[in-house]
Amino acid sequence: MEDFGGGEAFASGTKVKKHKGKHDKPKPWDEDPNIDHWKVEKFDPSWNESGMLEVSSFSTLFPQYLEKYLQEAWPKVKSALKEFGVSCELNLVEGSMTVSTTRKTRDPYIIMKARDLIKLLSRSVPAPQAIKILNDEMQCDIIKIGNLIRNKERFVKRRERLLGPNLSTLKAIEILTECYILVQGSTVAAMGSFKGLKQVRRIVEDCIHNQMHPVYHIKTLLMKRELAKNPALANENWDRFLPKFKKKNVQRKVKAKEKKPYTPFPPPQPPSKLDLQLESGEYFMSVKKKSAKKWQEKKEKQAEKVAENKRKREAAFVPPKEPSQISDSNKSDNDKNDLFAMTKSLKNKAKELKMHEAHDNVRADSFIANAESSRPKKKSRHSSA
């Protein structure tokens, strides 16, 4: 038998690992740094001088409220498509727009751009903005959000969350993704680059599915923009720098029921209404006595209700309770003690003040006079003689 290169593997008991694209060998221009594979070159009519062999056409319906606006803006759309050799038709009877190729069409892909143009127009995108889709750098994506959630109230609430107060959230997403976004009914129309459209679709779907709030996506995009400015981190993984937001499901704690002791016997059967009547003797009463008893019970309930209402009305006129005598006596004792301490301190201060005044008002002549009077007198010699 011929060996196709897998004999050794089968002999050893292992299977040969098959992979898709085994014929896709690396090309010499794949790793050429001078070639920008993401660059979209502008179409040159000389590449297709013979034109299109078959006529291709697309049509789409539009709502009735756009009829007047499309009628006014159709000349601009027609002139824009005429430059690329595409014919267009507005049918107001059927409510449809149709685009088709002509003999003057050279670009094969322009009919797809024209199809996107009429789709955007049917989704209420203004004509000047929708015409920009004919440029090679501009792409569009129409995201259907009406079938992502069944509950109508939740759908409206989450769609408002996507817009934000005064359309602030939507404007922030437009600036960060560099895309034009229009939320209309059950669809979201976006125009921009492939990278921006991918981000917009992820933000919209996460918002409608209630997986992540658009504000968290905005924070992540802001951090990515700052990281892109650093050339040292251009070829590194940014996951360690980006914030990780976890959805918080607030669950109420269910109180654990107390387990009753197990008993093999079933609980006793509650007495029926007939048993209760037999016990009370009401079963043997006549109809007249039963009605009299019901009337008496009704009167008693009414009397209780009247007494309760009267008590509630009189409660507003009850004077507040006066403080007890013990608290008054304690308060009076404390007041007396405070008054006694205050009078004592005032008396002491008055004494000190008098002493200072007496010391300051001492006169020199009185001091001398006092000193002389206190000195003992000497006996004279003549008197002794």
Side-chain angles (χ1 to χ4, degrees):
M1 292 178 67
E2 296 180 5
D3 189 6
F4 295 101
E8 296 179 1
F10 282 113
S12 61
T14 58
K15 293 183 179 180
V16 177
K17 186 179 179 181
K18 296 182 179 180
H19 59 87
K20 292 182 179 180
K22 59 182 179 180
H23 300 292
D24 296 341
K25 296 180 180 180
K27 309 298 188 297
W29 54 81
D30 286 346
E31 298 179 0
D32 191 354
N34 299 324
I35 300 174
D36 187 5
H37 298 283
W38 291 101
K39 185 180 178 182
V40 180
E41 296 184 5
K42 192 175 181 181
F43 180 77
D44 190 359
S46 62
W47 296 349
N48 186 15
E49 294 179 356
S50 59
M52 310 297 292
L53 298 175
E54 294 289 336
V55 176
S56 302
S57 63
F58 292 97
S59 62
T60 185
L61 301 174
F62 61 87
Q64 190 177 3
Y65 63 86
L66 285 175
E67 184 177 329
K68 188 177 179 181
Y69 175 74
L70 289 174
Q71 207 170 357
E72 294 174 356
W74 198 249
K76 295 180 182 177
V77 177
K78 195 171 185 179
S79 62
L81 290 172
K82 192 177 181 180
E83 295 178 5
F84 297 94
V86 178
S87 64
C88 58
E89 183 185 353
L90 178 66
N91 193 337
L92 298 176
V93 178
E94 297 178 358
S96 64
M97 294 178 284
T98 308
V99 290
S100 59
T101 57
T102 61
R103 291 183 178 180
K104 296 181 180 179
T105 308
R106 295 291 179 267
D107 188 357
Y109 193 72
I110 196 63
I111 189 64
M112 309 301 290
K113 292 278 189 177
R115 179 202 62 181
D116 295 340
L117 171 60
I118 58 175
K119 276 188 179 181
L120 292 170
L121 288 172
S122 64
R123 298 314 308 157
S124 300
V125 177
Q129 178 65 34
I131 290 170
K132 294 180 182 178
I133 197 64
L134 298 175
N135 299 332
D136 292 335
E137 301 83 12
M138 188 70 69
Q139 310 298 329
C140 77
D141 187 12
I142 296 175
I143 308 163
K144 295 180 180 180
I145 59 175
N147 56 355
L148 296 180
I149 184 170
R150 291 183 179 180
N151 195 327
K152 188 70 175 176
E153 293 179 0
R154 288 183 182 176
F155 170 73
V156 173
K157 188 176 179 181
R158 291 175 189 177
R159 188 178 62 182
E160 290 294 326
R161 187 187 300 170
L162 184 65
L163 298 173
N166 298 325
L167 303 178
S168 58
T169 306
L170 190 68
K171 192 68 179 174
I173 296 170
E174 284 183 347
I175 293 168
L176 291 170
T177 58
E178 297 179 357
C179 293
Y180 171 82
I181 306 170
L182 178 69
V183 181
Q184 175 71 17
S186 61
T187 58
V188 178
M191 294 174 62
S193 61
F194 285 114
K195 184 180 178 182
L197 293 175
K198 188 177 180 181
Q199 292 172 345
V200 171
R201 177 173 278 274
R202 185 180 178 188
I203 292 168
V204 171
E205 289 180 352
D206 285 355
C207 179
I208 301 300
H209 284 304
N210 198 27
Q211 291 180 353
M212 189 181 289
H213 199 280
V215 172
Y216 298 139
H217 278 292
I218 290 168
K219 290 182 179 178
T220 306
L221 290 173
L222 283 169
M223 292 199 71
K224 284 183 178 179
R225 176 179 279 192
E226 294 297 323
L227 290 167
K229 294 178 182 178
N230 191 353
L233 301 172
N235 298 322
E236 290 190 15
N237 191 6
W238 293 347
D239 289 343
R240 55 196 176 103
F241 301 109
L242 299 177
K244 295 180 181 178
F245 304 103
K246 292 183 179 179
K247 187 179 176 182
K248 296 180 181 178
N249 287 331
V250 181
Q251 296 180 354
R252 296 179 181 176
K253 293 182 179 179
V254 180
K255 293 182 179 178
K257 294 182 179 179
E258 296 180 0
K259 290 185 178 180
K260 296 180 180 179
Y262 173 74
T263 54
F265 304 104
Q269 187 175 2
S272 64
K273 189 177 181 180
L274 189 64
D275 294 337
L276 294 173
Q277 287 179 354
L278 287 169
E279 286 179 6
S280 62
E282 187 182 351
Y283 181 77
F284 304 102
M285 287 183 182
S286 62
V287 177
K288 192 174 182 180
K289 287 184 178 180
K290 285 180 181 179
S291 61
K293 187 180 178 183
K294 285 183 180 179
W295 176 253
Q296 186 66 25
E297 289 175 355
K298 189 176 181 182
K299 293 288 285 182
E300 287 176 0
K301 286 182 180 179
Q302 286 180 352
E304 289 176 3
K305 194 72 176 175
V306 169
E308 187 179 355
N309 292 337
K310 187 178 179 181
R311 182 179 58 78
K312 287 180 180 179
R313 285 195 300 270
E314 291 177 352
F317 302 100
V318 176
K321 291 183 179 180
E322 296 182 358
S324 60
Q325 294 180 357
I326 298 170
S327 61
D328 290 346
S329 61
N330 292 337
K331 190 176 180 182
S332 61
D333 293 341
N334 293 333
D335 292 344
K336 286 179 182 179
N337 294 334
D338 294 342
L339 185 63
F340 178 74
M342 190 183 295
T343 51
K344 190 174 181 182
S345 64
L346 288 172
K347 285 180 181 179
N348 292 335
K349 287 182 180 179
K351 285 181 181 180
E352 290 178 2
L353 186 63
K354 286 181 180 179
M355 288 174 66
H356 283 296
E357 288 179 353
H359 184 269
D360 293 339
N361 295 333
V362 174
R363 293 181 181 179
D365 52 356
S366 62
F367 180 76
I368 295 166
N370 292 334
E372 288 179 355
S373 60
S374 61
R375 189 181 298 171
K377 294 180 180 181
K378 293 181 179 181
K379 294 182 179 180
S380 59
R381 292 177 182 179
H382 297 287
S383 59
S384 61

